[in-house]
Amino acid sequence: MENGAAKPVIVAIDGPSGTGKSSTSKAVAAQLGLSYLDTGAQYRAITWWMVTNGIDIADPSAIAAAAAKPEILSGTDPTGPTITVDGVDVSGPIREQDITSKVSAVSAVPEVRARITELQRAIAASAVTGIVVEGRDIGTTVLPDADLKIFLTASPEARAARRSGELKGADLHTTREALIKRDAADSSRKTSPLAKADDAVEVDTTDLTLQQVIECVVTLVEEKRAGK
C-alpha cells in the first residue's frame, strides 16, 4: 500500500468445494497484506460443538436453540489461520469426515446462519487493511457491498480429483458423488444458498494451476484497489 490512507479492500470469494478457494484466498491475502477468513471453518466449528455436546443434528429446532451458545473465535492471519470454540483449538477435529458429513444440515438452520453471518460481518468490519473472506454466500448475503466479488468454479471431475488428493486415500468416484450431493444441499437451502452474485467475476479453475488462479485474483484485487 502506497500510503496509510488507502481504503481497506474487502474481497468476497465464493464457490463450491474443490475449486481451490481456500488455497487461493490464503495466498492472495498473504501476498497483499490482507486478513483472511475461512467462513466454512466457522460452520464446521459450530457443527463440531453441536456434535460434541450431543445436540440432535436431525432436529433443526434443537440446533436453533443452541446456536448462540458456543464462543467461536477466528484468527485471521492468512499464514496461520486459527479457530477455537470455547477456548479449544478445533482446527483439526473440524476437518474430520464425521463433521464434514453433518455441516450442511447445521448450516441450513437460519438461526445458525444469522449467528455466524453476524460474526463474519464484525470480523470484516474490523480488518484494518482489508480482508479476503471465502465461503458460499459471502458476495450474496454476508458482504453484499464487498469491493470485489469472485466466484470460483471448476468441473465436478477436477474438483473431486483435488478433494481426493486432499483427503488421503479417498475414492475419486465417492468424492465426486459427495461433492455433487453437497452442492445440491447448499444450492437449494432456503437460507443463503450457494449462489453467484450478479456482480461477481467468475473464474473457472478447471484448467488452471493454483498459481495461475492466485495471479488472476491478485490482479483483480490490485485493479480494484487502483480504482480501475
Side-chain angles (χ1 to χ4, degrees):
M1 226 179 284
E2 286 72 40
N3 57 53
K7 188 171 148 290
V9 62
I10 292 181
V11 183
I13 301 186
D14 290 305
S17 306
T19 51
K21 204 169 47 183
S22 292
S23 306
T24 300
S25 300
K26 274 187 275 205
V28 168
Q31 207 167 313
L32 296 174
L34 304 174
S35 296
Y36 159 77
L37 179 61
D38 174 0
T39 64
Q42 295 176 313
Y43 284 106
R44 286 172 174 273
I46 201 165
T47 303
W48 173 86
W49 185 91
M50 298 278 175
V51 171
T52 305
N53 286 278
I55 308 294
D56 182 0
I57 301 300
D59 180 358
S61 59
I63 293 172
K69 291 181 181 174
E71 186 192 8
I72 298 167
L73 279 181
S74 298
T76 57
D77 177 351
T79 61
T82 56
I83 186 152
T84 62
V85 180
D86 296 339
V88 178
D89 175 3
V90 295
S91 50
I94 62 171
R95 301 290 166 190
E96 289 170 8
Q97 185 53 43
D98 180 45
I99 301 305
T100 301
S101 65
K102 296 184 167 96
V103 73
S104 283
V106 174
S107 304
V109 176
E111 288 81 359
V112 168
R113 296 209 80 79
R115 163 87 203 283
I116 301 290
T117 297
E118 191 183 333
L119 197 57
Q120 291 161 2
R121 286 177 179 157
I123 292 168
S126 63
V128 182
T129 55
I131 191 167
V132 177
V133 183
E134 59 131 318
R136 285 169 158 74
D137 66 337
I138 310 307
T140 50
T141 303
V142 180
L143 301 168
D145 298 325
D147 300 300
L148 175 65
K149 300 175 187 178
I150 293 166
F151 193 84
L152 297 184
T153 62
S155 70
E157 289 69 27
R159 291 166 50 214
R162 290 170 191 165
R163 270 319 232 191
S164 55
E166 289 169 22
L167 310 162
K168 303 287 175 277
D171 169 59
L172 197 59
H173 176 74
T174 310
T175 305
R176 182 176 179 273
E177 294 305 307
L179 282 175
I180 290 170
K181 189 176 170 189
R182 173 131 189 231
D183 286 353
D186 289 351
S187 303
S188 61
R189 65 171 176 242
K190 288 191 180 70
T191 310
S192 307
L194 163 66
K196 175 177 171 264
D198 293 338
D199 53 350
V201 179
E202 187 165 322
V203 179
D204 187 335
T205 69
T206 304
D207 300 317
L208 300 178
T209 63
L210 177 59
Q211 199 49 48
Q212 286 171 321
V213 180
I214 293 165
E215 282 165 17
C216 170
V217 175
V218 164
T219 302
L220 289 167
V221 178
E222 285 177 335
E223 284 176 355
K224 180 57 72 173
R225 268 182 164 173
K228 287 182 186 172

